[in-house]
Amino acid sequence: MRGYHAVMVGVTDDLVRHWDTATGPVDVDTDMTKVTLETIGLAGFGQTFGGVGRTGTHPFADAMIGVARYTLIRTFLGSDGSGLLWRPAEARNRRRIGYLHRAVDDVIAQRSEQPSGADLLAVMLRDERNGDPNAIDRRNIREQVVTFMFAGHETTSSALSLALYYLSSDP
């Protein structure tokens, strides 16, 4: 955790600068999503999502949100998936998952060729670089990265938004 502290402070500094320069109200919920994606991306995998001041959402975040929404709808509607009405949604979902996989695979390939950092991805790739026969295979690494991004950004973002709401309600 100490190794990630500088990243967390840096992203927080970016957020404060972004809010200091805002000319009107800020969208706290959207900004907390950007903060968590940026923090997890940098601390975990050495990747930026365009910074806190980015206009709009990053395509990776859009794809994750789309996959989550699709999964939620399919879970609650309980369809067997054979209906014609689901086909366009299934196709969109496959494209989104494909995008997530390609994006993460590209990062893994880049980091394998040019090892750097002490982030989570570097740790997962370390055994492969050292020739360990029990190293985590790349598909598993990809799935771990996607899982960390999914699980880490939404819960943390929501918790930060709620904490800021309560702090602003009763400082």
Side-chain angles (χ1 to χ4, degrees), residues 70 74 80-83 86-95:
Y70 172 84
R74 286 301 297 257
D80 64 5
S82 63
W86 281 109
R87 288 188 183 159
E90 289 168 348
R92 274 192 309 277
N93 194 57
R94 282 192 302 274
R95 284 192 304 273

Side-chain angles (χ1 to χ4, degrees), residues 19 28-29 32 157-171:
W19 282 356
V28 173
D29 192 49
M32 291 303 101
S157 172
S158 297
L160 288 170
S161 294
L162 189 62
L164 289 174
Y165 168 78
Y166 280 120
L167 286 170
S168 69
S169 298
D170 187 8

Side-chain angles (χ1 to χ4, degrees), residues 11-155:
V11 172
T12 303
D13 287 345
D14 291 345
L15 173 68
V16 171
R17 275 192 297 280
H18 174 65
W19 282 356
D20 279 347
T21 60
T23 57
V26 295
D27 183 343
V28 173
D29 192 49
T30 297
D31 287 346
M32 291 303 101
T33 297
K34 291 176 183 177
V35 162
T36 57
L37 283 173
E38 201 66 14
T39 303
I40 294 167
L42 289 169
F45 316 107
Q47 297 297 304
T48 182
F49 286 92
V52 176
R54 174 190 182 91
T55 303
T57 56
H58 191 277
F60 195 90
D62 287 339
M64 280 195 317
I65 291 165
V67 169
R69 188 174 293 133
Y70 172 84
T71 303
L72 185 66
I73 291 169
R74 286 301 297 257
T75 299
F76 284 110
L77 293 181
S79 170
D80 64 5
S82 63
L84 289 173
L85 295 175
W86 281 109
R87 288 188 183 159
E90 289 168 348
R92 274 192 309 277
N93 194 57
R94 282 192 302 274
R95 284 192 304 273
R96 288 176 178 138
I97 291 170
Y99 170 79
L100 293 172
H101 287 179
R102 285 187 305 278
V104 173
D105 286 344
D106 289 349
V107 171
I108 292 169
Q110 175 189 5
R111 290 290 296 280
S112 294
E113 292 172 11
Q114 300 171 351
S116 64
D119 56 33
L120 187 55
L121 183 56
V123 171
M124 288 191 282
L125 290 170
R126 181 185 57 220
D127 291 340
E128 178 184 276
R129 284 193 309 272
N130 293 334
D132 186 337
N134 297 315
I136 303 171
D137 68 80
R138 291 199 179 182
R139 182 177 180 274
N140 190 342
I141 291 173
R142 177 215 308 149
E143 298 303 327
Q144 296 301 323
V145 171
V146 171
T147 299
F148 286 129
M149 294 303 298
F150 261 99
H153 102 276
E154 185 61 32
T155 54

